[in-house]
Amino acid sequence: MDGFALVLAGVLPGLCFIAAFGPPIWLFLAAIDGAVLAVMGTVNRKDRRRIKARGALAHPL
C-alpha cells in the first residue's frame, strides 16, 4: 500500500492541474490557431488578387 500511496501522491497533483487548467489552455491554443489561419487566409487572398490582376501582363511573353 505504501507504493500505491507514493505513486498516487506523485500523479494526483498533475491530474488536478490538468483538470483545472487543461481546458483554458486548449481554448487559448485553439484561439491562436484560428487567428493564424485567419491572417494567412487574408494574406493568401491578397496574393491571389494581385496575381490575378497582373496575370494579363504575362500573356504577351
Side-chain angles (χ1 to χ4, degrees):
M1 189 67 167
D2 289 332
F4 178 73
L6 185 62
V7 169
L8 191 61
V11 172
L12 192 58
L15 291 177
C16 290
F17 179 83
I18 291 171
F21 297 108
I25 291 171
W26 281 108
L27 288 173
F28 176 72
L29 293 175
I32 290 174
D33 288 343
V36 168
L37 289 175
V39 168
M40 292 307 295
T42 302
V43 169
N44 287 339
R45 196 174 311 126
K46 287 180 182 178
D47 286 345
R48 279 180 290 190
R49 280 191 203 139
R50 183 179 45 84
I51 291 169
K52 188 183 276 188
R54 297 183 183 193
L57 298 176
H59 291 293
L61 297 176

